[in-house]
Amino acid sequence: MAEPASAPAGQMCVTVVASVGPGSAVEWTGFLPQGATVADALAASGLADTAPELFVPVPLCGVWGRVVDPAQVLRDQDRVELYRPLTVDPKVARRERFARQGARSTGLFARQRPGGKSGY
């Protein structure tokens, strides 16, 4: 990945990243005026045209992995992330995966010593 260019006077460099599907991401890097918000960065990136499903009803976004409000003011070199909504509850997915795999092939029981007792 290339090092971001230095920002012109009175502006800051911001990167916007969105996961538009499993295993694929779209990245936009641009310059915004000082005091720009997350909403300004999303509007400038043009991702609303590329992935409109991420903007309905209100986009879930974060800065460097922390969920923030679209009114959050950005700083130079911030990375704005646009998150897809979860389609499956992670707890339910884990339970279903455990039921499919069985107790013997998951977790601690997957690496049992030869001749060892169950659970060791």
Side-chain angles (χ1 to χ4, degrees):
M1 187 169 152
E3 194 66 27
S6 60
Q11 295 201 337
M12 59 185 170
C13 183
V14 175
T15 301
V16 178
V17 179
S19 174
V20 293
S24 63
V26 175
E27 184 174 324
W28 174 85
T29 302
F31 297 105
L32 296 173
Q34 293 289 340
T37 63
V38 171
D40 296 335
L42 293 175
S45 70
L47 288 175
D49 300 329
T50 306
E53 66 276 1
L54 297 177
F55 288 85
V56 177
V58 176
L60 180 61
C61 49
V63 175
W64 290 110
R66 293 183 181 259
V67 176
V68 296
D69 188 57
Q72 172 77 32
V73 177
L74 296 172
R75 295 184 294 185
D76 191 30
Q77 302 298 320
D78 268 350
R79 174 187 167 103
V80 177
E81 300 159 346
L82 191 57
Y83 307 121
R84 287 183 292 142
L86 293 176
T87 56
V88 177
D89 181 20
K91 290 181 182 179
V92 172
R94 185 178 183 279
R95 276 191 217 111
E96 290 174 357
R97 192 170 53 250
F98 189 81
R100 261 193 331 271
Q101 293 174 348
R104 288 285 184 201
S105 63
T106 58
L108 294 173
F109 305 111
R111 289 172 263 125
Q112 184 177 1
R113 289 187 325 233
K117 292 190 251 179
S118 293
Y120 290 93

